[in-house]
Structure formats: structure tokens, C-alpha cells
Amino acid sequence: MINIVVALLSEARPVIKHYGLVLQPEWRGFPVYAGNGLRLVVSGVGKVLAAAATAFLAGAARAQHGPWLNIGIAGHSSLPIGAITFASKITDRVSGRNWYPPQVVKMPGTGVHVATHDQPVLHYPESVACDMEAAAFYVSATRFVSGELAQCCKIISDNAQSHIDHITPNFVADLIGDNLHEIDNAVQALRSLVEAADHIHVDAIDVNQYSARWHFTTAQKVQLQETLRKALVRGSAEMLDAEQWHYCHNAKNVLAEIDRYLKSLPVTL
Amino acid sequence: MVSTIYIEDSIRGHPRVERICSQFNKAQIVWCDQYTEVFNPKAQNFRLQKRNPALILAAKRDAFVMQVPSNYGLGGEQNYYFSHMLNCIYDCRYCFLQGMFRSAHYLLFINYDDFSTAITSILSDRGSGKPAWFFSGYDCDSLAYEPVTRFAQYFVPFFGARSDACLELRTKSTQIRCLLTQEPFPNVIAAFSFTPPDIAKALEHRVPSVQSRVNAMQKLQRVGWNIGLRFDPLIYVHNYRQHYANLVKEVCSSIDVSRVHSVSLGSFRMPKDFFKTIVKLYPHSPLYAGPVELGADGLMAYADDIKDEMLQYVTDLLLQWIPHAKLFNHEQEQNAISAKKYGLM
Ligand code: SF4
């Protein structure tokens, strides 16, 4: 599941339409749209709301393993209106802290330094894209996933020649709509990365069969999990069946028996 | 090919930075205050980053040279290591760097002059005595990234000009051009690491084949360079004897063993915390599901019976080719089997 955070409904609309996302009425607090392996939350403008909406989506959806994409508009001194960029560096202008989302997959457009401000910016610093959410989004998203899986995509809406006063909801929707192909490339790139991440993740092995028969202390349960992980890697899926150790009197015996069995297997790579 | 280069602001314009950037003229440049902002954050996944690592160019500011662990060395009285680079372009599943660093980016310290000043100062403080040893392949492969780092091009002549120090270049690479194009120095050792081909195929990703490493050693020997052989880590599989017998024979019969500087060996071992981190990154790796356990020394290692038997067996194989004075067991403090048997202690 890919999680998308946008500040404005006008930014969200083209994405919602493109992916056929549907409003989830049961979600309260922030509007959430979902469908086709994507979930989108409309956070509202600013750092506090961006961080809250990201955490809200992560917590409520238990979306810990999905990648995260922040899509939004930004101002830049020189890049043309409509240019798509991604954040290779993010700075929180208030605290001065920097983050560098690792670029493992090719993101669309040019990499830019995004500076997150508390107020709209009227004077553009050189070569920096200015927005109001990226830093908070990144900090919040990386509580749940590693940085490779949290990316910010910014579309230039204003620059030194064309200031923010002409930004309207329709203009914003058009900017995003014109870049849907590139946004989709970013979504696909993140999908491929999350497949790799999923491969890394192993769900906790179900040891219920074992704990229903014998009493395992907390430490013994950890040991059992680890022993069964090794057994599965070494191709002994039948080890998950607790029945075979029916003759064991207690958890200690079971662990010793599994260990003995593992030692009897040839070690290969 | 590196697609992103992070560079510390303070080294903007440094000639080595300029040269490296011109080698990667399509890479995006991201400026940072300190490399630690990029390299150290918690929210990074080494395995994902290994798919496309970036290059970080930075200046090291302290701790240029460190003392090596007590059981690591080649008979010298004083042993140091220094790391111009953290991380490696290869991807060996047994590598402890995966567990030590959060980031897989290649971090290159470009202030070589500061390293050489620190080495000079250590050497002048210590007075006379046997030459001190400096090991360079501790946190990276010494030669693998030579076309970018030009590390050997700088440090080999630096050590070559000194009679009070020796340098070990530890490598699995075939990047030996910079050695072939200069006169050999007797106090610089190119030490090649080996695991048997089938084990290498399973565990050493993107690494040149055993055969091409042997070819590289042959070329170096032909023009007079000192070479070393490293069988560390020894990896256990149920038929390891056959694998290691073939490997030792293949390597030793292909080179002039009488001119080998040194041979060292040690079995697979790793600090517990690194091991745990790697299990999380590679839960499906058979290496981390094998007969490895926590030893009294706090290291995860093969069970004593396996370790002792394997070290003994490979030692015996090597002693058919190499005199015992040239053989160093890097576990000798933990495990004295071979040392006692062959009078090394
Ligand atoms: S060559 Fe050495 S440093 Fe590089 S990955 Fe392999 S073990 Fe690690």
C-alpha cells in the first residue's frame, strides 16, 4: 500500500481521479481516499497538519511497511512553473535541521533542496524550493519506514517571475494533472522498492501451536522464534508442526530437540 | 554508476572533489554541512541502499589512525589501521560493515594529507624499532574503488618512501593498475582475500572471481610486488574440507608461494549487535541460519568444535605450501590450536 500525503484538496483531486480513489467515510480526523493499492490523506497546509496526517494514516491504517509520497506545490527562484522535482535535501527553516531522503530509485524530475517554511515565501532564496510541509512529512513518515521509502515530489507553482498571488485551486489542480505521468512513475518506482523491502520483512513466525502445548517463558518464546526462523531458512517447513515433539515434557525439552534436529541437518548456503 | 554525490560544504573546490565530480558528470550533487547528517541517521535501510548507493565526499576531522584489535596483525609490534573510505562497492553477505553502518553509501574521506600527517606523527613519536604496520582495508576494500579514490596512487609511494612502516592493502579486487605502473616497494603488501568459488558465488556479490584474483596476484608477483593471502573469514559448509582443499591448491599452485609475504586466516565471527542487525536485513540468508552461536568473548561465531576443526584443517592445508612463520591465525588469542601445534606461540 502506497501512502500519499497532500496538503490541499486541489492538489489531491487529479490524483484521486487518476487512480480512482474513493473517500473513506469511516476515517475521522482527516479526509482519506483509497483504492488500487494507494491511500491518500489530505492534511491541510503547514507542518503541524502534515505531521499529524502522516502519523494518522500510519497509525490508523497500520501502514508501517508501505512507502510514503508527499505531493505538493512549491516556489523556486528559477525553475519554470510546472517543473516537477523531488527533494534530495530537506531543511526545516525554523530549526535549521536537514534531512537527505536516500535516492535509491529514480524519482521524476530534478533533485532539489526543499526548505520548509512556516509562512508562504515571497522572496525566493537561490536554488531552493520553498514549501510548508516537506520537513514535517519526512520526520513523521520516517518514524514508520526507512528514509528510502519516504519521498517528496514538488511541482513548481511560483517563482521570481510569477508570484503566489495568481495561484488558484484550478491552477494547482492543472499543475498536478499535467504531471500525473511523472507522478505515476514515482509511484511505480516506490512500488518496486517496497517489494524489495517486503522481501526483507518476515512476519513473526506463528508459535501458537507450540505455546498451546507447552509453557514458554518470554525468553524461550524469543528463542523459539529464532530457532524456527533458522529451520525455515534451512528448508524444514515441517518444523512448524509442534505435534512431532509430542513426547517432550516441557519447553526446554522442545527447544533442545529442535536444536538437535537443526544440528543434524547438513549446512549449505 | 553513482547517481548522487553528497559533498560537505567545507571541501567545495578541493581538487580531489573536483576530479571525482568530473568522473561522474551526470550525478546530482547535494551539498551538506557534515557527512554525519547523511551517513548516520537512524531511518535508513542498508539493504535497500545497497541497490543504489550514493557517494559521500567528506573530510575526516579526527581519529585518523587507530590501533588494531590485539589479535590482528602480521607479527609486527605496533599495528594500526586507517580508513580513507567506509563501505564497499562489493556486497559480501558475511561483511560486518552491513551490521556496523546504517547507510550503505560509500563515504570517502578526501583529506589524504591529514591521514599521512597523522601517520608521520605516530611514526616519529614511537622512536626506533621494528617497522610499524598500517592496515588499510578494515572498513572497505583497499583497491576496489581505486579508479575513483586513487588511494593507492597516493599512499603506496608515501609508505614506499619510508623504512619505518609497512602498508597492507587488503582486497578482493583486480584493480592493480596503479601498482603495475610503479616500482614495487618491499614494505607494501597487496593481500588478496579468498573463499572457495562455490561459497563465493553464494556470498560474495559483485566480487571478481577467484580466478581473476589469482591472475591479478600473478601479474603483481611477476613485476616484484609482495603479495599476501587471506583466508578470513573461513565459512563453514558441511563439505568445507573439499571446498578449501581445492581452493588452497588452486591458489597456491598458481603463484610463487616461496615469495608470498604472509598468509592469515580466521573463521567467521562478528559482534553480536552487528549480527542481529544483519539478521533483520537478511532474514533469509542461510549464513545467518547456520551453526553460529554467541561465544564467551561476545562474538557470534561458529561453535567451538566446528571452528577448531576448520581452522586446524585449513592450517594443515596451508602448511603444505607455506612455512609456519608466515602463517597468522587471527583468532590465536581466542583459539590457540594451530599456534600451539606449530610453535607459533
Ligand atoms: S570485499 Fe570486504 S569490505 Fe567489501 S563487502 Fe566484501 S567483506 Fe566487505
Side-chain angles (χ1 to χ4, degrees):
Chain A
M1 186 67 80
I2 297 198
N3 306 289
I4 298 176
V5 180
V6 294
L8 303 166
L9 191 57
S10 52
E11 291 168 322
R13 255 193 218 115
V15 181
I16 291 168
K17 190 166 167 221
H18 181 74
Y19 290 106
L21 308 184
V22 177
L23 181 66
Q24 308 292 300
E26 70 279 14
W27 292 60
R28 295 187 173 268
F30 292 93
V32 172
Y33 298 78
N36 291 316
L38 278 96
R39 221 181 259 128
L40 179 150
V41 64
V42 182
S43 65
V45 173
K47 288 193 303 196
V48 172
L49 289 173
T54 305
F56 167 78
L57 195 56
R62 294 202 171 83
Q64 287 87 340
H65 300 297
W68 291 83
L69 185 59
N70 169 222
I71 302 173
I73 56 169
H76 193 279
S77 60
S78 55
L79 284 174
I81 307 294
I84 187 163
T85 65
F86 63 91
S88 51
K89 174 177 182 176
I90 301 170
T91 301
D92 177 8
R93 270 292 173 243
V94 174
S95 68
R97 277 200 63 188
N98 299 316
W99 296 270
Y100 301 82
Q103 309 294 326
V104 174
V105 286
K106 174 96 187 78
M107 295 298 287
T110 332
V112 289
H113 178 184
V114 175
T116 300
H117 295 254
D118 282 353
Q119 300 293 331
V121 168
L122 301 174
H123 302 288
Y124 305 95
E126 211 184 319
S127 305
V128 177
C130 303
D131 90 328
M132 296 177 68
E133 289 86 26
F137 158 80
Y138 189 74
V139 170
S140 188
T142 52
R143 305 290 297 199
F144 305 100
V145 292
S146 64
E148 299 79 17
L149 296 170
Q151 300 290 332
C152 295
C153 197
K154 296 288 159 184
I155 291 149
I156 304 305
S157 56
D158 46 298
N159 59 23
Q161 280 76 47
S162 177
H163 276 222
I164 53 171
D165 41 12
H166 67 269
I167 298 177
T168 63
N170 283 345
F171 177 70
V172 170
D174 286 348
L175 286 178
I176 305 286
D178 290 346
N179 280 291
L180 276 172
H181 176 69
E182 295 291 328
I183 290 171
D184 194 47
N185 285 345
V187 167
Q188 298 314 332
L190 286 173
R191 268 197 217 284
S192 74
L193 197 57
V194 85
E195 273 166 28
D198 275 347
H199 184 67
I200 297 172
H201 175 76
V202 273
D203 286 324
I205 294 162
D206 182 5
V207 293
N208 283 339
Q209 270 198 50
Y210 282 81
S211 38
R213 262 177 188 268
W214 301 278
H215 171 71
F216 286 83
T217 64
T218 308
Q220 283 173 326
K221 267 191 192 149
V222 172
Q223 203 186 334
L224 179 65
Q225 286 267 358
E226 180 56 7
T227 312
L228 291 178
R229 177 191 69 81
K230 288 183 178 177
L232 286 176
V233 171
R234 293 172 68 181
S236 332
E238 70 274 12
M239 298 270 281
L240 294 182
D241 178 11
E243 176 60 28
Q244 65 196 299
W245 316 114
H246 62 89
Y247 54 88
C248 291
H249 300 303
N250 55 36
K252 201 173 157 199
N253 286 157
V254 175
L255 288 167
E257 280 298 277
I258 303 177
D259 198 46
R260 206 166 56 82
Y261 175 72
L262 269 181
K263 282 192 172 131
S264 74
L265 293 174
V267 178
T268 57
L269 295 170
Chain B
M1 182 59 90
V2 162
S3 56
T4 303
I5 307 180
Y6 298 97
I7 309 174
E8 282 185 348
D9 263 321
S10 62
I11 54 170
R12 212 183 264 258
H14 188 290
R16 200 164 278 123
V17 170
E18 304 271 289
R19 196 254 306 151
I20 292 171
C21 289
S22 71
Q23 279 180 262
F24 298 106
N25 53 13
K26 292 216 173 84
Q28 73 160 321
I29 306 291
V30 181
W31 298 97
C32 60
D33 294 345
Q34 294 208 339
Y35 76 85
T36 49
E37 291 179 329
V38 184
F39 196 68
N40 289 358
K42 255 193 188 159
Q44 303 190 80
N45 184 301
F46 191 100
R47 182 170 174 183
L48 288 181
Q49 270 185 25
K50 200 73 190 164
R51 293 161 68 100
N52 184 20
L55 174 60
I56 305 173
L57 302 180
K60 192 160 174 65
R61 293 183 177 82
D62 52 17
F64 292 98
V65 181
M66 310 289 285
Q67 215 120 38
V68 300
S70 57
N71 57 335
Y72 193 95
L74 298 173
E77 284 159 11
Q78 287 171 309
N79 299 293
Y80 304 92
Y81 74 93
F82 65 108
S83 297
H84 69 293
M85 182 167 163
L86 309 185
N87 278 328
C88 180
I89 61 168
Y90 302 143
D91 186 15
C92 303
R93 197 53 60 245
Y94 51 72
C95 183
F96 73 98
L97 299 176
Q98 310 163 103
M100 186 157 81
F101 300 131
R102 293 182 179 127
S103 170
H105 295 331
Y106 313 142
L107 170 54
L108 177 65
F109 296 117
I110 52 91
N111 48 332
Y112 295 173
D113 291 343
D114 292 331
F115 283 93
S116 58
T117 305
I119 291 166
T120 305
S121 129
I122 284 178
L123 290 170
S124 46
D125 286 352
R126 67 191 269 279
S128 57
K130 274 172 127 182
W133 274 90
F134 290 83
F135 295 89
S136 69
Y138 204 70
D139 295 316
C140 66
D141 182 293
S142 301
L143 295 179
Y145 214 33
E146 182 66 17
V148 175
T149 65
R150 301 202 186 156
F151 164 78
Q153 189 176 312
Y154 178 98
F155 281 98
V156 167
F158 168 79
F159 278 94
R162 306 198 63 109
S163 56
D164 53 356
C166 298
L167 171 69
E168 183 198 76
L169 301 165
R170 173 80 65 106
T171 193
K172 286 194 186 81
S173 89
T174 53
Q175 291 290 351
I176 53 169
R177 193 175 310 154
C178 77
L179 298 180
L180 294 177
T181 51
Q182 55 187 310
E183 285 299 303
F185 296 109
N187 60 336
V188 175
I189 314 303
F192 288 78
S193 302
F194 291 98
T195 42
D198 285 348
I199 296 178
K201 211 175 282 168
L203 299 179
E204 296 176 354
H205 308 291
R206 307 177 203 166
V207 178
S209 67
V210 168
Q211 187 54 53
S212 33
R213 281 176 252 171
V214 169
N215 294 346
M217 288 196 304
Q218 288 172 330
K219 284 186 195 153
L220 288 172
Q221 271 202 325
R222 233 174 272 142
V223 295
W225 283 96
N226 268 324
I227 59 158
L229 302 177
R230 306 291 176 253
F231 298 93
D232 190 355
L234 298 176
I235 301 292
Y236 180 77
V237 285
H238 68 98
N239 53 348
Y240 79 91
R241 288 174 171 251
Q242 189 192 325
H243 286 291
Y244 278 95
N246 292 343
L247 175 70
V248 169
K249 189 169 167 214
E250 183 186 345
V251 171
C252 292
S253 63
S254 309
I255 54 172
D256 180 353
V257 280
S258 69
R259 291 198 296 120
V260 166
H261 170 270
S262 53
V263 181
S264 66
L265 73 165
S267 68
F268 174 65
R269 60 209 179 279
M270 189 179 287
K272 183 177 147 214
D273 291 346
F274 296 1
F275 190 94
K276 265 170 86 175
T277 302
I278 301 175
V279 168
K280 281 198 194 121
L281 290 172
Y282 295 94
H284 306 292
S285 168
L287 180 66
Y288 294 91
V292 176
E293 52 190 48
L294 182 62
D297 51 8
L299 295 177
M300 296 296 289
Y302 292 125
D304 281 348
D305 53 341
I306 291 178
K307 186 167 62 182
D308 293 354
E309 184 198 289
M310 198 166 37
L311 282 165
Q312 187 64 72
Y313 180 72
V314 180
T315 299
D316 288 344
L317 288 174
L318 288 166
L319 286 170
Q320 291 169 23
W321 299 86
I322 310 280
H324 63 67
K326 288 188 178 181
L327 189 61
F328 298 90
N329 178 347
H330 278 162
E331 295 192 351
Q332 55 192 288
E333 297 201 349
Q334 299 147 25
N335 179 336
I337 51 155
S338 302
K340 285 227 173 78
K341 183 172 171 188
Y342 295 104
L344 294 176
M345 288 177 82

